[in-house]
Amino acid sequence: MQASLTDEAKHATSSTTSAVDNIVNGRWDPNNIPDHAWNDMYEGIRHCNLFLPFWENERDRLPITDATYRRTLGELIFLRAFYHYELFKRYGGIPVLTEVLKPGDDMNIPRETYANTLKFIVDECDRAAALLPLNYASYSSYYGRATKGAALALKSRVLLYAASPLVNSQTDFVGGSNELVWMGGFDMERWKHAAQAAYEVIALNEYQLYEYLPEGSGRYSFNYFNDTYYGSNREYIFGRLWVADNNMEKNNAPMGYENALGLTCPTQDFVDAFLMIDGQPFDWSNPVHAANPYANRDPRLSLFVYHNGLQWWYTDNREFDSRRSYGLIETFVGGADDASSLTDGVRTGYYLKKFSSREASIFGTEYTVNHPFTFFRYAETLLNFAEAANEFGGPNYSIGGYNAIWAINAIRTRALMPQIENDVTKEALRELIRLERRIELSFEEHRFWDVRRWKIGISLKKNIDGLEIVKNPDDTYNYNRKPAIEQRIFDPKHYFYPIPQTERNRNNNLIQNPEW
């Protein structure tokens, strides 16, 4: 999981040769990139380019309805834009391919500038949006296909990236003028364009935030990540649907259970980022906070993270396991879920709960559920709008009657957190929006890229912390922060991926990214 490459999590493995370990320790280079995006995305682009000419030029030969023709054409254009975007966010400017290359063709295709690559993706999104349907409400078997909203959501994201400090600045990220990784200068209007693109998704009036579902006893459920039904999940915009399984639950369940692997371990740094329920920061120097660090916190903490004392979702199965009592997670030293003494045990004191379904089970009679991976959802659109609108015109800058405060408050209201007041400053709101992205979009492959586009990778602390919990005879706990359980390396060159050396050996016109 990409989260283990950030301050969100640590991967519970002792391996020193894994892809995760190579990246966090800086052991990657043009000859060793633990990511196959270059090959995979260009393969996808080739598939689109094989079909598009026929689909665009041979309409009369296709015995299909106009609606099916337009939808399929829009899907092809959208997917080609999406594949280019996946390369764009990693490498900056890339070779833009709109034709199938054949043996004998000139393969020495140069990279486009960052700005030109952006323009291609944005233009393709507009083309796709004009062809794709708004939804498939009447065709449940089509659920998961690209829609108008998906194309506009992609446009929103790429324009947000292009407006961000990494590339929207007076120089490139190493103080030069390399337009392969730079927009060519600072332009405040780029934030306005990003805000307008996010508003286009909002203005569709197609999407809404998924509701928290009361479970009783003051606890809440959030089944968004396993709900693939259009009628009940209007937050989902586009993603990858998956066959029903229970791998997510097995991979992340507390180690005290049969078949549990507990692989993705949220860090103490991430847990500390959750605010108190009154909107104030959590503070270890506050004795009330430190005595019970999970009490009166942002409710999403207990929705996204398994922590000590939290009741595991599969309560009915707890008595099946004789090592258990009361169905509570025990990450304290010597507890049923304390795997700190194991070679590949939890290193942070936490397990990942987000994405797991209470309908699945991992031992006894195993049950499986759908686990779609969301690429775009409405919460991100609102946060894109909030960030871009605030950066351009401040907290109260409005498009279509909506401003940044409205957008972030919609998400905070859903999370049962207090509203941000109208007198908040632009600078204060910027930090609140960044914090909200860190919490709301956690483990969804945003933090890795947000840290880069905000150009804060160098300034973040270079290690992650965990927590040791000691249970006292009177059933109280002592919480001892474990600093620097893993060191992280981030150099300026890591803001962009290196171009694979194998590709440069084939193409003399592929210029390498700075400092690689």
Side-chain angles (χ1 to χ4, degrees), residues 330-396:
E330 301 175 352
T331 56
F332 57 83
V333 175
D337 299 308
D338 172 34
S340 58
S341 63
L342 300 179
T343 301
D344 291 332
V346 63
R347 305 298 176 84
T348 66
Y350 302 100
Y351 296 97
L352 178 62
K353 180 179 180 182
K354 194 176 188 181
F355 311 120
S356 292
S357 170
R358 65 180 302 129
E359 305 301 326
S361 59
I362 66 172
F363 59 85
T365 302
E366 296 188 21
Y367 295 98
T368 61
V369 298
N370 292 314
H371 289 99
F373 184 84
T374 303
F375 294 133
F376 304 104
R377 64 181 175 107
Y378 189 53
E380 182 207 343
T381 297
L382 292 176
L383 289 170
N384 291 353
F385 177 80
E387 181 177 349
N390 182 60
E391 292 298 333
F392 178 72
N396 294 299

Side-chain angles (χ1 to χ4, degrees), residues 41-116:
M41 295 305 114
Y42 275 119
E43 181 179 356
I45 290 168
R46 178 178 173 83
H47 290 163
C48 293
N49 287 340
L50 281 167
F51 278 95
L52 267 167
F54 178 80
W55 218 257
E56 291 178 310
N57 301 321
E58 304 291 340
R59 171 66 183 97
D60 293 342
R61 297 174 59 188
L62 298 170
I64 55 176
T65 65
D66 285 343
T68 300
Y69 171 78
R70 289 174 57 83
R71 187 206 76 212
T72 307
L73 180 59
E75 288 175 333
L76 287 166
I77 294 169
F78 167 76
L79 287 173
R80 186 170 67 178
F82 182 79
Y83 297 143
H84 277 90
Y85 151 74
E86 286 292 332
L87 295 165
F88 172 72
K89 72 180 180 182
R90 289 169 169 82
Y91 301 101
I94 55 170
V96 171
L97 298 184
T98 58
E99 298 178 351
V100 175
L101 297 178
K102 303 178 294 297
D105 288 349
D106 183 5
M107 301 293 178
N108 292 309
I109 302 172
R111 299 170 64 184
E112 292 286 349
T113 65
Y114 191 96
N116 284 347

Side-chain angles (χ1 to χ4, degrees), residues 157-193:
R157 189 185 294 177
V158 295
L159 286 174
L160 183 76
Y161 280 30
S164 298
L166 178 62
V167 296
N168 188 19
S169 58
Q170 295 299 336
T171 66
D172 69 27
F173 66 95
V174 291
S177 56
N178 188 336
E179 293 191 358
L180 296 175
V181 291
W182 177 55
M183 284 294 289
F186 174 77
D187 186 350
M188 181 63 79
E189 288 292 309
R190 293 186 184 119
W191 286 115
K192 182 179 181 180
H193 296 156

Side-chain angles (χ1 to χ4, degrees), residues 20 34 59 82 111 136 157 182 206 223 236 322 415 465 496:
V20 170
R59 171 66 183 97
F82 182 79
R111 299 170 64 184
Y136 293 104
R157 189 185 294 177
W182 177 55
E206 171 67 10
N223 196 41
Y236 175 93
S322 60
D465 297 347
F496 285 97

Side-chain angles (χ1 to χ4, degrees), residues 289-309:
H289 295 184
N292 194 351
Y294 311 123
N296 301 314
R297 300 290 293 275
D298 181 330
R300 288 172 292 188
L301 175 58
S302 294
L303 290 172
F304 297 170
V305 177
Y306 284 125
H307 57 73
N308 189 63

Side-chain angles (χ1 to χ4, degrees), residues 276-317:
M276 303 299 292
I277 194 66
D278 62 0
Q280 296 302 307
F282 173 81
D283 185 0
W284 279 106
S285 64
N286 183 321
V288 176
H289 295 184
N292 194 351
Y294 311 123
N296 301 314
R297 300 290 293 275
D298 181 330
R300 288 172 292 188
L301 175 58
S302 294
L303 290 172
F304 297 170
V305 177
Y306 284 125
H307 57 73
N308 189 63
L310 187 67
Q311 191 170 38
W312 201 45
W313 266 354
Y314 318 112
T315 306
D316 293 342
N317 288 337

Side-chain angles (χ1 to χ4, degrees), residues 249-263 312 337 351 362-363:
E249 289 73 23
K250 288 182 177 180
N251 287 340
N252 295 296
M255 287 289 288
Y257 284 96
E258 182 182 355
N259 297 325
L261 298 175
L263 294 179
W312 201 45
D337 299 308
Y351 296 97
I362 66 172
F363 59 85

